[in-house]
Amino acid sequence: MPIISSTTTLGSVSSLNSFLFTSDASSYHTPSSFPSLLNYSNLSRHSHKCKKKFYSLFQTPKVSLSGNPKIEQAASASANANAAATQLLDDSPETRRSADWKTATAYIDSGFIYKGRIEGSNGGGLLVRFYSLVGFLPFSQLSPSHSCKDPSKTIHEIAKGLTGSDISMKVIQADEENKKLIFSEKEAVWSQFSEQVNVGDIFEARVGFVEDYGAFIHLRFPDGLYHLTGLVHVSEVSWDLVQDVRDILSEGDEVRVKVISVDREKTRITLSIKQLEEDPLLETLDKVIPQDVSAVPDSLSNSNISDIEPLPGLETIFEELLREDGVDDVRISRQGFEKRVVSQDLQLWLSNAPPTNQKFTLLARAGRQVQEIHLTTSLDQEGIKRALQRALERVP
């Protein structure tokens, strides 16, 4: 993404030059290609150095005009050009500001990054110089890199330290009528760093702030700075049931996160903490109840399978699973008893082993009782998860 500094204009003055310096009197006209993005503030910035030169170039020749139409025509054209140049160099502040509003709109349309000088701050953000205009960069649109450099500083201390510096940003609103010129540093760093983020990547990160629905996490990049922020939803914080995210995460905590989705159009990154840990639901019966029959003689049993009574509610789930395409058979293979009670409610767990010979394993748990269920299916692991979810949704 190209970066345009505050001393660079989007327009070109080549067509203006051809208008000012053409020597053919018949060609004095305003070309249709006159640049709409000509930055008058840049031109007028140097006007005091070149006015004298322009005036001498366009000085009306001191010759007799009587009886010579060609000389009269040329002199008239020269005078007109002189007046046009003088008008351009002496543009009013209003004209310059209007042109700069158009330039700001062009930055939005192009997506170009603007490098602006921070001139100060107020209670809500930073004041940014944009040619003859002063825009606003809200604190909420600052990159997290500033606060992560020194977490002990307040936002107003950070703002004071940024005064006088140049920051890459994007124009996100240019409303001339309401005099609103808004910038975002976050949008600029997204353009610069988001391509380095992909699903499955693992980042060292820092908790920014916590909400009821999740935590916003700042990602640390190879340069050591925290450029982008993603969301860990409450459901992705832990495999355990989380009532309040604040019980687990606090602002400033160092964490490791996995990228589970990137929406480049909406500039959103979704993260997970729990997916870096083993899913406790992806277990086998042998893991739940170690096969140490000398210690627990009745811990596992695969004899008299027909005598095993399904846990309450399990038969209905079996019926719904058999309605799913790709599921051919569902039956209990064995059962066991734990020393502790995990939950009195019926729970279904998925095996972490992929289907083998069209066989897949589920665990059903309630109280101390655990039953191992074999599915005969042509589905893969993800397909089984979706089929099980649909079946459970149909269970009253």
Side-chain angles (χ1 to χ4, degrees):
M1 178 59 62
I3 299 178
I4 297 184
S5 70
S6 57
T7 58
T8 307
T9 62
L10 289 175
S12 167
V13 295
S14 58
S15 55
L16 174 63
N17 289 339
S18 65
F19 166 57
L20 293 177
F21 297 110
T22 181
S23 58
D24 184 356
S26 63
S27 65
Y28 283 111
H29 64 284
T30 302
S32 59
S33 61
F34 190 91
S36 60
L37 298 181
L38 179 65
N39 193 294
Y40 291 95
S41 60
N42 273 358
L43 188 59
S44 60
R45 189 181 305 164
H46 306 289
S47 61
H48 66 282
K49 298 180 180 179
C50 56
K51 277 186 179 181
K52 185 174 181 180
K53 184 175 180 180
F54 273 126
Y55 291 154
S56 63
L57 285 170
F58 292 104
Q59 197 92 32
T60 303
K62 295 182 179 179
V63 296
S64 173
L65 304 180
S66 58
N68 194 331
K70 291 185 178 181
I71 293 180
E72 289 180 7
Q73 182 182 15
S76 177
S78 179
N80 291 338
N82 185 32
T86 303
Q87 180 180 359
L88 182 62
L89 292 170
D90 290 333
D91 272 335
S92 67
E94 289 77 12
T95 303
R96 291 197 299 273
R97 284 193 291 268
S98 180
D100 290 341
W101 279 110
K102 291 181 175 63
T103 303
T105 301
Y107 271 96
I108 296 177
D109 296 339
S110 66
F112 285 166
I113 293 174
Y114 172 77
K115 197 163 189 178
R117 176 64 55 88
I118 306 302
E119 294 203 335
S121 63
N122 57 27
L126 304 175
L127 305 179
V128 181
R129 169 59 59 184
F130 186 83
Y131 304 112
S132 65
L133 308 174
V134 175
F136 185 63
L137 198 166
F139 289 141
S140 61
Q141 291 298 322
L142 276 174
S143 161
S145 60
H146 305 293
S147 59
C148 290
K149 281 181 182 177
D150 190 349
S152 64
K153 285 187 176 181
T154 67
I155 189 64
H156 294 288
E157 289 173 332
I158 293 172
K160 185 177 180 180
L162 290 174
T163 300
S165 63
D166 294 332
I167 293 180
S168 295
M169 61 190 77
K170 280 192 173 184
V171 183
I172 59 174
Q173 184 178 359
D175 185 346
E176 181 177 5
E177 182 178 353
N178 295 303
K179 300 296 186 287
K180 287 185 178 180
L181 180 58
I182 310 298
F183 297 92
S184 171
E185 186 187 19
K186 283 183 177 179
E187 293 290 332
V189 296
W190 175 269
S191 297
Q192 294 171 306
F193 292 96
S194 63
E195 293 300 323
Q196 300 179 32
V197 181
N198 297 287
V199 173
D201 290 349
I202 297 173
F203 281 85
E204 299 295 329
R206 180 177 295 171
V207 177
F209 52 97
V210 182
E211 301 288 350
D212 292 339
Y213 52 85
F216 288 89
I217 310 293
H218 305 319
L219 305 181
R220 189 171 73 192
F221 283 74
D223 61 2
L225 298 179
Y226 298 80
H227 294 293
L228 300 178
T229 301
L231 172 67
V232 175
H233 189 264
V234 60
S235 62
E236 292 293 330
V237 173
S238 172
W239 290 111
D240 297 325
L241 178 63
V242 178
Q243 299 286 359
D244 190 340
V245 183
R246 297 171 184 84
D247 293 337
I248 299 176
L249 298 175
S250 301
E251 183 177 344
D253 287 351
E254 300 289 341
V255 295
R256 292 177 74 243
V257 293
K258 181 179 180 179
V259 179
I260 58 176
S261 74
V262 181
D263 189 329
R264 303 195 187 280
E265 183 177 345
K266 296 182 179 180
T267 64
R268 293 176 182 172
I269 301 173
T270 307
L271 308 168
S272 176
I273 294 175
K274 77 177 188 181
Q275 291 192 27
L276 292 176
E277 304 170 355
E278 184 179 358
D279 185 348
L281 300 186
L282 298 178
E283 298 181 347
T284 65
L285 188 60
D286 294 330
K287 184 175 180 180
V288 174
I289 307 174
Q291 294 192 59
D292 185 0
V293 294
S294 62
V296 188
D298 63 344
S299 61
L300 296 176
S301 173
N302 55 11
S303 61
N304 300 322
I305 293 175
S306 60
D307 296 335
I308 298 177
E309 183 177 349
L311 292 169
L314 204 53
E315 284 184 302
T316 304
I317 295 174
F318 287 178
E319 293 172 1
E320 294 298 331
L321 274 173
L322 288 170
R323 293 174 55 191
E324 291 290 325
D325 292 338
V327 178
D328 301 320
D329 187 41
V330 184
R331 64 181 61 197
I332 298 172
S333 60
R334 57 181 178 164
Q335 70 175 349
F337 297 88
E338 296 186 275
K339 295 180 179 180
R340 61 190 178 90
V341 175
V342 176
S343 172
Q344 295 292 351
D345 298 327
L346 177 64
Q347 298 178 336
L348 282 177
W349 293 9
L350 304 177
S351 170
N352 58 358
T356 303
N357 297 324
Q358 293 194 329
K359 298 289 186 182
F360 188 82
T361 302
L362 296 176
L363 292 185
R365 305 174 72 168
R368 291 182 56 240
Q369 195 171 2
V370 185
Q371 294 180 345
E372 187 176 74
I373 303 161
H374 280 171
L375 274 70
T376 302
T377 176
S378 59
L379 302 175
D380 59 14
Q381 194 171 29
E382 287 301 318
I384 293 168
K385 287 181 181 180
R386 291 191 291 269
L388 182 58
Q389 183 178 13
R390 288 191 297 267
L392 292 174
E393 289 174 350
R394 295 194 296 269
V395 173

